[in-house]
């Protein structure tokens, strides 16, 4: 075992790393400088093609230098996936290209740090098995083709697997192994904060104005969820989940005395905006997840419980003062008494139970539940309208996985969740309080994964790419720091700190 202050065998010295960083920074600066010169001499049409390319190459150059940068760039690209136009020069979507860049960057980084593979555990093995089972299901023969049953439009099963499962799992591994510096952790939390701040601003502008500032404009044209803040994800549950993640990240950052005062105040302001944005989603699943996160924060956030206490107090006062509205069926006003969506989910669950009984071992096939729920739709009971939830996703992630992938796939998924929770609890108990890379990081990971699990009870998580990636990234980073943490009594004369295993 080597300490943090010693050079590790097979790893370049700090001078070599700084030299490579300087070359990378110089290359990025040269690209941007060339773009600046081009702006003075090239016509506007040509400049519109060259300038984004130069900026993109500069970002990629920085990403190749360190996988942590590449992962954060990927997260931002996934967040803006819907409004990002197709790039003619790329044969795939931009975020898929950046995923390949992140994998390449991580591959280069890990080749000189092969000892880091020892941090991996049974969790990653079961993640890999679950991914393999998904791809087996994609190639296996099933009763229904991979199409939207009512329109016949083909469904890209490989894309569904990559977005909902492969990228989040890969990001988890890269976070666990490569985010080994405090600046990388701080960059991750501020990236989540920035994404959430944009989501909060757009949520407020969408419903409270000025609507001229709303971008992307499709938020104003969403007829499926009228009167709800849908955000860049164009879906209130996805938007609300991002806002909750942002609230968690900002609370952690605001609690750190190592952060400048003005940044802590900015984080507190963004936390308030995120909480208000959560309310503007007018979505019970999001409100439930936020309430549970706040209560869990009250229980486990040692050192900064006051943030959660203030939020819980404000939520309680708002509900008490608006009790009649809160219990009404008027969703636009904030009521939770509407039963239509409850009926949808109950019928979807009944269909999933029937589907599991019919094909218990291998399931009906990945991305096939919509077809099952169209041709074999079931009702929860005589008091529930049969048409409720007809042809929709499972809206209960675990039930959908068991129906599509059978008992084999379902048990693999549950094993992943159990092992993930066990390692997060271990990180919470193991890491020291106070320091950003200590218990506050573990608390952020516990709360984000808790939010994701609660949301997954009422929504199909595999459709939410960026939220899955963000939650598993934070979880992987926290578990990685727990892996590398050595208690003080094992390092005589030194304080507890991160060391290489």
């Amino acid at each position: 075992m080597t300490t943090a202050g010693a050079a590790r065998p097979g790893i370049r010295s700090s001078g070599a790393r700084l030299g490579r960083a300087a070359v990378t920074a110089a290359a990025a600066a040269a690209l941007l400088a060339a773009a600046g010169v081009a702006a003075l001499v090239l016509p506007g049409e040509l400049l519109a093609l060259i300038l984004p390319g130069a900026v993109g190459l500069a970002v990629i150059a920085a990403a190749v230098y360190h996988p942590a940068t590449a992962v954060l760039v990927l997260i931002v690209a996934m967040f803006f996936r819907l409004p990002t136009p197709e790039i003619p020069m790329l044969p795939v979507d931009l975020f898929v290209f950046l995923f390949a860049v992140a994998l390449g960057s991580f591959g280069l980084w890990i080749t000189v740090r092969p000892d880091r593979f020892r941090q991996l555990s049974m969790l990653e093995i079961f993640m890999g098995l679950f991914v393999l089972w998904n791809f087996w299901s994609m190639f296996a023969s099933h009763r229904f083709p991979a199409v939207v049953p009512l329109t016949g439009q083909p469904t890209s099963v490989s894309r569904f697997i990559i977005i909902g499962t492969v990228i989040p799992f890969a990001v988890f591994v890269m976070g666990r192994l490569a985010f080994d510096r405090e600046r990388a952790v701080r960059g991750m939390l501020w990236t989540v904060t920035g994404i959430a701040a944009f989501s909060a601003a757009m949520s407020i502008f969408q419903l409270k104005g000025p609507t001229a500032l709303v971008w992307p404009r499709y938020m104003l044209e969403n007829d499926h969820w009228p009167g709800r803040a849908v955000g860049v994800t164009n879906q209130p549950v996805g938007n609300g989940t991002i806002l909750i993640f942002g609230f968690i990240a900002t609370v952690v950052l605001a609690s750190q005395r190592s952060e400048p005062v003005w940044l802590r105040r900015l984080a507190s302001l963004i936390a308030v905006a995120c909480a208000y944005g959560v309310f503007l989603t007018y979505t019970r699943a999001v409100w439930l997840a936020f309430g549970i996160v706040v209560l869990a924060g009250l229980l486990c956030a040692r050192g900064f419980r006051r943030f959660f206490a203030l939020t819980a107090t404000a939520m309680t006062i708002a509900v008490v003062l608006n009790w009649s509205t809160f219990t009404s069926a008027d969703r636009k006003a904030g009521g939770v008494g509407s039963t239509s969506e409850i009926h949808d989910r109950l019928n979807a669950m009944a269909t999933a139970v029937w589907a599991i009984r019919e094909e218990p071992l291998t399931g009906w096939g990945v991305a096939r539940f919509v077809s099952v729920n169209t041709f074999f739709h079931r009702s929860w009971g005589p008091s529930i309208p049969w048409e409720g939830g007809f042809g929709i996703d499972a809206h209960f992630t675990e039930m959908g996985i068991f129906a599509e992938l059978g008992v084999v796939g379902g048990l693999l998924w549950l094993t992943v969740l159990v092992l993930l929770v066990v390692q997060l609890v271990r990180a919470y108990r193991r890491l020291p309080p106070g320091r950003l890379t200590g218990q506050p990081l573990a608390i952020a990971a516990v709360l984000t994964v808790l939010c994701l699990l609660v949301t997954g009870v009422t929504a199909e998580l595999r459709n939410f790419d960026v939220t899955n990636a963000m939650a598993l990234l934070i979880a992987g980073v926290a578990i990685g720091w727990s892996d590398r943490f050595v208690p003080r009594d094992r390092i005589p004369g030194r304080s507890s700190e991160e060391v290489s295993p």
Side-chain angles (χ1 to χ4, degrees):
M1 180 181 293
T2 58
T3 63
R8 288 170 285 181
I11 299 180
R12 297 180 182 181
S13 65
S14 60
R17 291 196 299 270
L18 289 175
R20 187 174 62 173
V23 171
T24 304
L31 286 169
L32 294 177
V37 172
L40 300 176
V41 296
L42 294 178
E45 296 80 3
L46 188 58
L47 179 64
L49 294 175
I50 292 179
L51 185 58
V55 174
L57 287 174
V59 171
I60 292 171
V64 169
Y65 166 66
H66 199 283
T69 303
V71 170
L72 296 181
V73 171
L74 170 63
I75 293 294
V76 174
M78 292 178 71
F79 174 65
F80 288 109
R81 176 174 65 88
L82 290 182
T84 300
E86 292 185 3
I87 301 176
M89 295 176 289
L90 292 179
V92 294
D93 289 334
L94 177 62
F95 79 95
V96 176
F97 172 73
L98 291 174
F99 178 52
V101 171
L103 290 178
S105 175
F106 179 75
L108 293 174
W109 181 87
I110 201 67
T111 53
V112 292
R113 299 167 177 84
D115 56 311
R116 287 295 173 92
F117 279 119
R118 288 185 292 175
Q119 290 180 226
L120 301 181
S121 63
M122 292 298 296
L123 172 57
E124 286 78 12
I125 292 176
F126 276 95
M127 284 181 171
L129 291 174
F130 181 72
V131 170
L132 290 176
W133 188 254
N134 272 268
F135 280 110
W136 175 87
S137 181
M138 180 180 75
F139 291 110
S141 176
H142 299 289
R143 179 169 183 172
F144 295 118
V147 299
V148 179
L150 297 181
T151 64
Q153 181 181 358
T155 299
S156 177
V157 179
S158 60
R159 183 184 179 91
F160 177 73
I161 297 173
I162 290 172
I163 289 178
T165 306
V166 174
I167 292 180
F169 285 179
V171 164
F172 172 87
V173 174
M174 289 187 277
R176 183 171 188 172
L177 302 185
F179 281 67
D180 57 353
R181 296 293 181 268
E182 185 169 322
R183 63 177 178 271
V185 177
R186 183 171 282 104
M188 174 189 69
L189 292 176
W190 277 110
T191 298
V192 174
T193 297
I195 289 173
F198 184 86
S199 295
M202 292 304 105
S203 298
I204 295 170
F205 294 158
Q206 176 194 343
L207 298 184
K208 303 299 179 181
T211 56
L213 298 178
V214 173
W215 185 86
R217 303 297 292 177
Y218 57 66
M219 298 182 200
L220 302 174
E221 302 165 359
N222 191 308
D223 296 327
H224 194 68
W225 292 283
R228 300 196 206 179
V230 295
V232 176
T233 62
N234 206 27
Q235 210 274 355
V237 175
N239 183 43
T241 305
I242 289 173
L243 292 169
I244 296 173
F245 290 172
F247 176 83
I248 296 167
T250 52
V251 165
V252 170
L253 289 169
S255 71
Q256 295 300 300
R257 296 190 179 276
S258 59
E259 294 290 326
V261 174
W262 71 273
L263 280 179
R264 292 168 60 191
R265 291 176 178 173
L266 176 62
S268 300
L269 181 63
I270 294 174
V272 174
C274 288
Y276 184 52
V278 167
F279 169 73
L280 293 180
T281 62
Y282 296 115
T283 302
R284 287 170 292 195
V286 175
W287 291 355
L288 175 64
F290 188 54
I292 291 176
V293 163
V294 170
L295 291 177
L298 280 171
L299 295 175
C300 70
R302 289 185 290 181
F304 52 99
R305 285 191 176 97
R306 64 185 183 277
F307 294 97
F308 295 100
L310 289 173
T311 305
T313 301
M315 292 169 60
T316 302
I317 293 174
V319 170
V320 170
L321 293 179
N322 300 277
W323 182 253
S324 60
T325 302
F326 180 74
T327 56
S328 71
D330 187 357
R331 299 299 301 278
K332 293 183 179 180
V336 297
S338 173
T339 60
S340 60
E341 291 180 333
I342 296 176
H343 293 166
D344 293 348
R345 281 149 179 78
L346 288 175
N347 285 352
M349 289 175 60
T351 305
V353 170
W354 177 89
I356 295 169
R357 290 174 178 171
E358 292 294 313
E359 295 286 348
L361 185 60
T362 59
W364 291 76
V366 62
R368 295 327 199 266
F369 185 82
V370 172
S371 294
V372 175
N373 199 21
T374 299
F375 296 104
F376 297 106
H377 180 66
R378 293 293 187 270
S379 173
W380 181 265
S383 61
I384 306 296
W386 179 88
E387 62 273 12
F390 175 80
I392 66 173
D393 281 323
H395 280 73
F396 189 152
T397 304
E398 282 67 41
M399 296 292 288
I401 289 175
F402 269 93
E404 291 185 354
L405 301 176
V407 173
V408 176
L411 290 179
L412 287 173
W413 172 249
L414 290 181
T415 304
V416 168
L417 294 183
V418 170
L419 292 176
L420 177 63
V421 170
V422 168
Q423 296 206 22
L424 285 175
V425 172
R426 172 179 172 270
Y428 173 75
R429 292 177 174 176
R430 182 179 174 84
L431 290 172
R435 188 175 175 179
L436 177 64
T437 54
Q439 200 170 82
L441 174 61
I443 292 170
V446 169
L447 295 181
T448 52
V449 171
L450 175 63
C451 172
L452 200 69
L453 294 178
V454 174
T455 305
V457 176
T458 60
E460 173 57 87
L461 289 181
R462 291 175 295 170
N463 292 327
F464 299 145
D465 50 355
V466 69
T467 54
N468 296 345
M470 290 168 68
L472 288 182
L473 172 62
I474 297 172
V477 173
I479 292 171
W481 277 83
S482 174
D483 295 334
R484 296 183 294 270
F485 175 74
V486 176
R488 178 179 303 191
D489 57 3
R490 294 181 58 185
I491 311 178
R494 297 185 61 192
S495 61
S496 300
E497 59 181 308
E498 180 270 332
V499 297
S500 298

